[in-house]
Amino acid sequence: MSRINVLILGSTGSIGTQALEIIRANPEVFRVAGLSAHSNTGLLAEQIEEFQPDVAVITSAGRLKKLKSGLNGAVGKTELLEGYDELLGLCTSLNYDILLNALVGFSGFVPTVKALHAGKKVALANKESLVVGGELLAGYTVNGIKDLIPVDSEHSAILQCLIGEEQNPIEKLLITASGGPFRTWSADKMKDITVEDALKHPNWNMGSKITIDSATMMNKGLEIIEAFWLYNLPLDKIEAVVHPQSIIHSMVTFADGSTKAQMGYPDMKVPIQYALTWPRRITLDTPRMDFAELSSLTFEPVDYQRFPCLRLALEAIEAGGFSPAILNAANEVAVHRFLNKDISYIRIPEIVSGCLEEISTPDVLGVDTLKAIDEETRQRAARA
Ligand code: NDP
Ligand code: MG
């Protein structure tokens, strides 16, 4: 069988580097067609030397020179490009089989649109693509699999639970949440949360934006929106449940009351590899479940009072239209400001809520109007 040619956008991030570990372990299965990084020229140079892609893009302006000097002339056959427009161009012009979209935030949205329009398959880690533009992308997904294959562990779990169930009515999707580092903190204690506290995720080691989203539980809200568009179910059939061990990655209950769960120790390589090889499975060297050692699996309801971001996300998807895009842009800016110690943790939902209330939206939902609303919301959230 011919190798799978993968274009990895965001190759220097947490998901991108884990994808390259999978590719390194399976050179007979995968080939790297292209890579992109934003600022990390040193790591991108190492990746180019090792994987010899056809093309590599550095998106942050003015860094191409640094990338070239880091390569010491060892470019091989790789074409080197600079800028976000070049990244967008690659999504349509490069010869590849699947795009792994591991960009963070709104920067991932237009690449997803471009790749799907060009008839490519997309392994989607960038959940923000579906949060912002789910309505535009919904046509490309049937139960999460037509051209858009989820990488997010919860949505991968649901996809795996749904195999063979195409004709069967679904009663509920149960999206598990670790609860993040503040699951047991009182509302009073949460007023003094520091960046360092919020970056300590109990179960997963991820990029900084999603780690803060997990701490505020905005991440679970974004995931409910993601599931809504991937699996085409009404919102009252999609529920979050706290499961602190992160062993069950999500569940599906069917009309006969039977519930299927997908399990494993937390390791993003499992859903990343599955999205790249779907519907096949190949060997992955990851710790196997030891049920004798595992003492208990516990569950709790989510707390919307202490985690208002989750409630705001549900309100945004219920409102529909541009609201999820406003939620996303305001959250990105607020998280960035929190990471820079410019605002406190409890200001994050306040800024998001202020933007949702104040920004008026155009009539027609499209890529250009979504870009305009994203920009306007960013400006408002940066001033707040
Ligand atoms: P990281 O922050 O670790 O990596 C982000 C990648 O995108 C880096 O390669 C970065 O380049 C690049 N990048 C950052 N900003 C821009 C920009 N403006 N334009 C172009 N490229 C940019 O993120 P993660 O890997 O953690 O997350 C990626 C996506 O996957 C997110 O949507 C996240 O929600 C989702 N996800 C992540 C999980 C995880 O375990 N990490 C789990 C489930 C979903 P550079 O580093 O060179 O600046
Ligand atoms: Mg997830």
Side-chain angles (χ1 to χ4, degrees):
M1 192 186 280
S2 60
R3 291 192 295 173
I4 302 167
N5 287 291
V6 191
L7 166 60
I8 304 181
L9 300 184
S11 65
T12 47
S14 163
I15 296 286
T17 50
Q18 292 180 85
L20 286 171
E21 283 176 44
I22 292 166
I23 293 175
R24 178 182 297 123
N26 297 282
E28 71 296 344
V29 181
F30 304 106
R31 193 185 81 85
V32 177
L35 295 171
S36 95
H38 190 58
S39 58
N40 194 340
T41 49
L43 183 55
L44 182 61
E46 284 173 30
Q47 294 175 345
I48 293 168
E49 283 187 34
E50 178 178 355
F51 294 98
Q52 301 279 313
D54 300 325
V55 190
V57 194
I58 186 91
T59 43
S60 179
R63 298 209 182 215
L64 187 59
K65 210 169 150 199
K66 197 163 169 223
L67 176 66
K68 282 183 177 161
S69 67
L71 278 161
N72 288 325
V75 191
K77 61 175 178 49
T78 304
E79 184 186 359
L80 301 177
L81 302 171
E82 181 184 271
Y84 188 71
D85 287 344
E86 297 286 3
L87 177 149
L88 294 180
L90 277 197
C91 297
T92 49
S93 65
L94 188 70
N95 186 13
Y96 66 97
D97 300 309
I98 189 162
L99 163 67
L100 173 63
N101 187 340
L103 298 172
V104 60
F106 187 85
S107 69
F109 167 55
V110 183
T112 302
V113 174
K114 295 259 178 207
L116 291 172
H117 279 178
K120 303 292 189 180
K121 272 201 297 183
V122 178
L124 190 69
N126 180 260
K127 64 189 85 185
E128 294 91 342
S129 289
L130 279 168
V131 173
V132 170
E135 203 172 326
L136 302 182
L137 300 176
Y140 292 99
T141 160
V142 176
N143 277 346
I145 51 170
K146 194 168 149 248
D147 298 312
L148 209 48
I149 307 156
V151 169
D152 217 349
S153 57
E154 295 77 4
H155 307 75
S156 175
I158 292 167
L159 174 60
Q160 295 176 58
C161 291
L162 288 178
I163 288 189
E165 307 282 2
E166 291 74 18
Q167 307 303 320
N168 294 328
I170 297 169
E171 200 163 281
K172 200 143 246 179
L173 303 184
L174 292 154
I175 302 190
T176 51
S178 70
F182 310 126
R183 181 175 63 88
T184 59
W185 286 36
S186 68
D188 214 34
K189 197 175 166 197
M190 286 173 81
K191 289 186 186 131
D192 302 318
I193 285 170
T194 64
V195 173
E196 292 71 25
D197 294 329
L199 284 173
K200 275 184 221 138
H201 195 277
N203 303 338
W204 301 95
N205 183 9
M206 310 177 285
S208 57
K209 193 258 176 182
I210 184 175
T211 304
I212 303 304
D213 284 347
S214 300
T216 61
M217 291 198 71
M218 176 61 90
N219 185 50
K220 220 36 62 178
L222 302 181
E223 290 183 353
I224 288 177
I225 301 175
E226 187 184 6
F228 175 79
W229 293 116
L230 280 171
Y231 298 107
N232 189 28
L233 286 168
L235 280 169
D236 62 3
K237 291 193 170 192
I238 308 173
E239 201 174 293
V241 59
V242 175
H243 166 47
Q245 298 82 16
S246 297
I247 296 288
I248 292 184
H249 300 306
S250 279
M251 299 178 263
V252 181
T253 300
F254 295 92
D256 60 356
S258 177
T259 298
K260 277 180 160 181
Q262 187 264 338
M263 296 189 216
Y265 290 120
D267 183 348
M268 279 309 294
K269 276 199 246 164
V270 178
I272 295 169
Q273 178 171 293
Y274 187 69
L276 293 177
T277 62
W278 177 90
R280 284 196 297 154
R281 291 184 191 270
I282 60 171
T283 305
L284 179 63
D285 185 14
T286 185
R288 295 335 192 214
M289 292 290 302
D290 179 346
F291 287 94
E293 181 232 46
L294 186 73
S295 53
S296 64
L297 297 177
T298 60
F299 303 91
E300 307 162 10
V302 292
D303 183 341
Y304 293 95
Q305 295 305 319
R306 282 186 308 126
F307 297 100
C309 283
L310 181 49
R311 187 172 36 77
L312 289 170
L314 292 178
E315 286 169 8
I317 185 67
E318 263 161 32
F322 290 89
S323 296
I326 294 172
L327 172 99
N328 177 70
N331 180 58
E332 278 188 44
V333 172
V335 167
H336 186 72
R337 290 182 63 185
F338 171 66
L339 282 166
N340 286 333
K341 305 195 175 175
D342 175 28
I343 59 165
S344 68
Y345 173 91
I346 53 169
R347 284 285 292 144
I348 297 173
E350 290 171 5
I351 288 176
V352 173
S353 159
C355 288
L356 281 167
E357 275 164 29
E358 282 168 30
I359 290 171
S360 52
T361 56
D363 296 331
V364 184
L365 193 89
V367 174
D368 289 338
T369 46
L370 283 167
K371 276 195 210 163
I373 282 295
D374 176 80
E375 192 44 50
E376 188 184 337
T377 308
R378 274 167 207 278
Q379 287 174 16
R380 160 76 180 70
R383 285 194 309 267

